[in-house]
Amino acid sequence: MARIKTLLAEPLVLASIAILILLAGGELLSPGFARGDQVTRLLTVSAILGIVAAGQSLVVIGGREGIDLSVGVLISLGAFTAGNVMDGVNGAILPAVLAAGGVTFAIGIVNGLGVTLLRIPPLVMTLGMMGVVQGGLVVLSRGAPSGNAAPMLMGFVNQPLLLGFPGILFVWALIAFVMWFLLRRTSFGYAVYAMGSNERAAALTGMPTSLLRTILYGLSGLFAGLTGVCVIGYTGNSFISVGDQYVLPSIIAVVIGGVSLAGGSGNYFGVVLGAIALTLLQSVLTTLQLEFWGRQIIFGAVLLGLMLLYGRQKQLRI
Amino acid sequence: MPPALKAQGITKRFDAVVALSDGALTVERGEIHALLGANGCGKSTLCKIIAGTVLRDGGSVEVDGAPLEPKRPADAEAAGIALFYQELSLVPQLTVAENIFLGHEPRTRAGFIDRRTLEDDAGRLLGPFKVVAGSGLDLHMPVAHLAPDQRQIVEILKVLARRPRLIIFDEATAALDRRQVEFFFRMLRELKAQSIAMIFISHRLDEVFEICDRITVMRNGATVATYPAAETDVNRVVHAMVGAMTEHLHPPQVERPANEQPRLVVDRARGRRLRDVSLTLRPGEILGLGGLQGQGQSALLRGLFGADSLDSGRVNLDGASLRLRKPADAVHHGIAYVSGDRGRDAALHGRSIFENIAAASFIRERRFLVWPSRLAERFRQAAAALNTKYVGLEAPIGSLSGGNQQKIFIARWLATRPAVLLLDDPTKGIDLAAKADFFDLVQHLAAEGTSILFYSSEDAELLGLCNRILVFNGGTIAAELSGSTMTALHLTRAAYGDAA
Ligand SMILES: Nc1ncnc2c1ncn2[C@@H]1O[C@H](COP(=O)(O)OP(=O)(O)OP(=O)(O)O)[C@@H](O)[C@H]1O
Ligand SMILES: [Mg+2]
């Protein structure tokens, strides 16, 4: 019994069980929910969330109340930039990706500098950045949808490429590998965990904590920008608030995946499962024909419930 | 009258680790009872079981004759038991006063926190300590800004504020200097007069014999003996602690040629707590820093490590001038720093032992790619050099006892093969056997040419280990002891600034 209890407290196990239950529940509610092509579709949507959550998980693991609320507008900015650079031309996809990633990475770095140099709390810094970028986007786009995805990009996101899976899923797999490699096979990753666990101690081993933290926010921006490219590939064109809906889910996916909001623990595989579980939940709720606000309420409740569940086990270490 | 506490046959396992196989302890009312034993023998675990923060697997506990089955700390608190945590439990953002009454805030009739009473009461508790606490220990000061010894005083006050009937002090004096310890003991004697029972855990045997009525010794998770303090001596106790082990004596010191180029030269270093400190450290030399706590010893070591900035002064390493703006500058030049405040300065909580050792090596070797399996052997050797007890490198750091954790943080630096080792009261909370291992190792390193700056709050350690001792007072070097002046008497005199 105690065994089962500890197993259930394991985030990976919990997320896997949630995925199975949601799949079964979805199939019951609407037969065909768990069919092959539907599952591929769900995974594609999960991939988009999973990529932005990769960056989110990095800043959270890095600690000191790390969180990035600007990912939403950076997705929008990434989609806007990519859409305008490629403007429907296949040959311009690569420059579009570079431009979107470059701009959002730079803004992420500014977030990082605010957090490290100016010691602004991450919540405040990234919230402020959200306002600034949102305003900028309105001015640039004059509020109208603009930019077009190139057909090849849309095919890459929506059409089967290999074994029936679209290209974006292979990109996601690659990102998962890169995240694992970065966190477990480079000193950068070890430093991120060290810093998230005890920044003072990490600094006293010589780790350049401010630099590392700045890079983490830069990477979060970069991942958000790439997510923006995927989003425009998914929908075809961009409007200035496409990214907003990803902010809360990116945080919840990270928490479902077992990354402690206190920093210093967790890994990306959990987050991958978290992104899938959350996308499934979203899709089940849509099947139930729940309005947007209803979903937001449930998402919020899930986040709070998880905090309660995981928060309780963290006992004082003596 | 039944004893204040009677624990018998206590057992406790953490997965594969048997922390307690037969823990027993009886404490009378008005008694100060020492609990001794090597690192990892189960002292803290036994006390946590009594205080309800850890659940026992078997055995019985009686308090004043009534059985106690604490399910949570509050149950034990209700029975009048208070535990002073070895690893501190203060909330850094809260003020001194708030921390003292955390969870027990006096309330107004409307149920709000009664700040007036809270601060008055806190002030009354703190008052007597102010003389010995140094500047900055103020009721309204957030705990984050306090020095380690000041935080320890707050921790003690926090315990006293609960008006307990049985107090467990788990290494409460580890961060205190001699004057503070004396003051603390005076307070213990007052509590004793109020027939409060106390358990006192410490690795400093002189303190134990000074204050305790009886001594219980544990070894490998079991209680092996209890002695009245007046009827036993250090030797008997040490033998009971380590079982059949031979005595550790400091090995003879190796002489080195006098004309060697100095390794480290510090010229008129100034800083927030330093006034014109100059010193020369030769290869293979163990140079002691003595004096009362907080006289600039730590400030110097942290300055030399680039952790606190020096305002002015020059530092030369092997003849070349050093710029120390951040710890990485020092680490790249082979300077290592071991802090005694491991919870704050060293522990990567929640991470594995491997990660805790590896941290400094990555920086020292400018390593980017990490293949854990290839590094493991080296880290195992570093840990083995100190006879560290652990299950495996993948186990979390929190699964080790306090002393074994500290060994891991020393191993962290040994793995970098440092040229200069800065030791900032590194033996806090380490048992005698481990200390002996540690001193052997320090001398071994010195014999191989490592230069060592060693600050200790224990005079005996300085006198036993160092070639010379610089005694600090008020941020500057008040005296240098070497040869025939290396005696406890000279050291104490210089520390208190006695001209005589
Ligand atoms: N939470 C835990 N999980 C796993 N093992 C533990 C845990 N707490 C303690 N142990 C193990 O139990 C044993 C006893 O530890 P304990 O902390 O009681 O030792 P101690 O006598 O207080 O040592 P020290 O003098 O170093 O503080 C050690 O081997 C330790 O590794
Ligand atoms: Mg202990």
Side-chain angles (χ1 to χ4, degrees), chain A residues 185 187 197-198 200 264 318, chain B residues 48 345 349 351 367-368 370:
Chain A
R185 287 294 178 268
S187 57
S197 148
N198 184 346
R200 192 182 155 98
I318 44 176
Chain B
K48 286 177 201 166
D345 290 346
H349 306 281
R351 306 309 304 171
R367 183 187 287 279
F368 184 66
V370 177

Side-chain angles (χ1 to χ4, degrees), chain A residues 181-182 184-188 190 193-194 197-198 200-208 264-266 315-318, chain B residues 48 53 85 302 305 307 327-328 331 343-349 351 355 362-363 367-372 412-413:
Chain A
F181 191 84
L182 195 66
R184 298 322 293 160
R185 287 294 178 268
T186 70
S187 57
F188 175 84
Y190 281 83
Y193 283 111
S197 148
N198 184 346
R200 192 182 155 98
L204 281 176
T205 65
M207 289 174 179
S265 73
Q315 35 181 317
L316 188 70
R317 280 201 175 273
I318 44 176
Chain B
K48 286 177 201 166
T53 59
Y85 291 110
R302 295 177 64 88
F305 189 61
V331 175
R344 208 156 74 120
D345 290 346
L348 303 177
H349 306 281
R351 306 309 304 171
E355 285 174 70
F362 295 156
I363 305 300
R367 183 187 287 279
F368 184 66
L369 294 182
V370 177
W371 301 104
R412 165 187 295 174
W413 291 107

Side-chain angles (χ1 to χ4, degrees), chain B residues 220-376:
Chain B
N220 281 337
T223 297
V224 290
T226 298
Y227 313 99
E231 292 165 26
T232 186
D233 55 30
V234 175
N235 249 329
R236 287 246 310 268
V237 170
V238 170
H239 271 105
M241 278 166 63
V242 296
M245 218 179 80
T246 50
E247 262 178 61
H248 268 274
L249 279 177
H250 301 327
Q253 296 171 2
V254 188
E255 285 299 319
R256 299 188 63 92
N259 56 356
E260 231 174 351
Q261 209 204 21
R263 164 78 41 80
L264 186 75
V265 179
V266 180
D267 186 28
R268 275 167 299 165
R270 280 167 176 263
R272 215 155 55 86
R273 293 186 181 195
L274 287 180
R275 289 188 294 130
D276 289 324
V277 172
S278 301
L279 62 85
T280 303
L281 179 66
R282 291 188 292 136
E285 187 177 28
I286 306 176
L287 180 56
L289 308 179
L292 299 176
Q293 190 136 3
Q295 301 302 308
Q297 304 96 329
S298 294
L300 174 67
L301 294 177
R302 295 177 64 88
L304 291 177
F305 189 61
D308 291 346
S309 57
L310 298 171
D311 296 340
S312 67
R314 266 207 311 278
V315 180
N316 279 4
L317 184 72
D318 292 322
S321 163
L322 276 191
R323 295 194 62 184
L324 297 164
R325 280 166 310 174
K326 52 187 190 305
D329 298 336
V331 175
H332 287 313
H333 283 97
I335 301 177
Y337 171 81
V338 177
S339 163
D341 191 357
R342 57 175 177 272
R344 208 156 74 120
D345 290 346
L348 303 177
H349 306 281
R351 306 309 304 171
S352 68
I353 294 174
F354 176 89
E355 285 174 70
N356 270 279
I357 299 180
S361 296
F362 295 156
I363 305 300
R364 171 81 162 118
E365 295 157 20
R366 298 175 194 272
R367 183 187 287 279
F368 184 66
L369 294 182
V370 177
W371 301 104
S373 53
R374 290 193 204 157
L375 293 167

